[in-house]
Amino acid sequence: LKNTNVAMLIESSSSKSNDILSDPSMMIPPPPPPPLDTDRLRSATNSDGLLAVLGAAQVLKSMQDGSAKTRTGEAAVAIEEWVVNGEQSVAFRLSSWREQRVAQGEANIAMETDSNFFAFTGTKAIENRKAFASKLRSCIEQTDFQSVQFLRLILDIVGAMNKPCLRLELLQYILGLDNRYSVAHVARSVQLASTCMDISMHDAAAFDALPPAEAD
C-alpha cells in the first residue's frame, strides 16, 4: 500500500511539472540580474562619454538616497567658513592657494587651468566663493533635491564657474563624483541626468493622460 501511495504521489508530481512546463504562465520567472556596479565601472574608465553617463547615474543616485541634500548643507557650511577666514587673513588665502597648487600638481583635482594667484591675493576668490555659498543656500531653500529644479540650480552654478578649485571639489562631493570630473564633466553629467528626469516626467504625464482601461 505504501509503495502504491508513493507511486501515485510521484505520478501526480510529474503531471504537475509537465503542466507547468507546458503552460508558460505557470512558470516561475528567473530572478532579476544584479544591479549594475556603476562605481566600479566609473573608476575603471577614462572615456569622457562613459564618464558622463556613469556620472549622471551617480548624480541621480545621490538625489534619490538623500546624500546630495546632506552634502549640500555640509558644503555650504565649509565654504562659508572659508569666506570668513579668507576675509580676515591674506595669509590664510595664500595658504589655501598653495594647498590647491599642491593638489593640482599631484593630479588630485580635475583642473583645466592652474589656480590664479592674484585671485587669492585680492578679493576675487572671496567673491567667487561667497556667490557659490549663496547658490548652495538657494538649493537648500528652493528645492527638495528630488526634482529637476535641483539639477537646474547646479547647472547655473557650473555655468558661472571660470577657474574653480575648492568649488569644484565641493560640487564633486555633493554629487558623489570622483576627482577626475572636471567642470565640463560635471556639466555633462548633470545635463544628462536632467534629460533623464525630463523624459521620465514626460512619460509619467503621458501615462496619466491615458484613458482608463475597459473591463473585459
Side-chain angles (χ1 to χ4, degrees):
L1 182 59
K2 286 184 179 180
N3 290 339
T4 302
N5 290 338
V6 170
M8 291 176 62
L9 183 61
I10 293 174
E11 183 178 355
S12 174
S13 175
S14 176
S15 175
K16 289 180 180 179
S17 298
N18 290 334
D19 290 341
I20 291 175
L21 291 173
S22 62
D23 185 356
S25 66
M26 297 177 65
M27 296 182 66
I28 300 173
L36 187 63
D37 188 350
T38 55
D39 291 337
R40 183 180 61 81
L41 288 174
R42 194 168 65 250
S43 65
T45 185
N46 288 313
S47 163
D48 286 347
L50 193 52
L51 277 174
V53 172
L54 297 174
Q58 177 58 43
V59 169
L60 294 172
K61 178 183 175 183
S62 297
M63 293 171 65
Q64 185 179 32
D65 65 17
S67 60
K69 181 177 182 178
T70 300
R71 291 172 177 175
T72 300
E74 294 171 352
V77 170
I79 201 75
E80 287 164 351
E81 288 179 353
W82 188 97
V83 168
V84 170
N85 292 325
E87 287 179 327
Q88 295 174 352
S89 171
V90 175
F92 172 82
R93 299 201 300 271
L94 292 179
S95 175
S96 177
W97 174 79
R98 283 193 295 269
E99 289 174 359
Q100 289 175 2
R101 290 279 295 179
V102 170
Q104 291 167 13
E106 293 175 351
N108 289 331
I109 304 176
M111 283 294 298
E112 294 157 352
T113 56
D114 291 336
S115 299
N116 188 335
F117 173 76
F118 295 105
F120 287 80
T121 56
T123 61
K124 187 63 176 176
I126 293 175
E127 293 169 4
N128 287 341
R129 294 177 181 190
K130 264 187 179 177
F132 181 69
S134 176
K135 290 180 179 180
L136 291 183
R137 288 296 175 192
S138 295
C139 286
I140 294 170
E141 294 166 3
Q142 298 177 19
T143 179
D144 61 359
F145 293 85
Q146 297 288 322
S147 69
V148 73
Q149 183 185 7
F150 167 67
L151 297 177
R152 289 170 181 159
L153 290 170
I154 293 296
L155 284 174
D156 286 343
I157 292 174
V158 174
M161 287 181 168
N162 184 17
K163 299 177 181 178
C165 293
L166 179 60
R167 291 173 293 156
L168 176 58
E169 288 184 82
L170 290 174
L171 268 187
Q172 293 166 346
Y173 174 67
I174 288 169
L175 301 174
L177 302 174
D178 60 56
N179 57 22
R180 292 175 301 159
Y181 280 78
S182 65
V183 173
H185 286 125
V186 171
R188 284 194 288 269
S189 296
V190 174
Q191 287 168 348
L192 183 54
S194 179
T195 299
C196 292
M197 289 197 72
D198 282 336
I199 292 172
S200 178
M201 290 167 59
H202 178 270
D203 289 347
F207 180 80
D208 292 340
L210 291 174
E214 296 182 1
D216 293 337

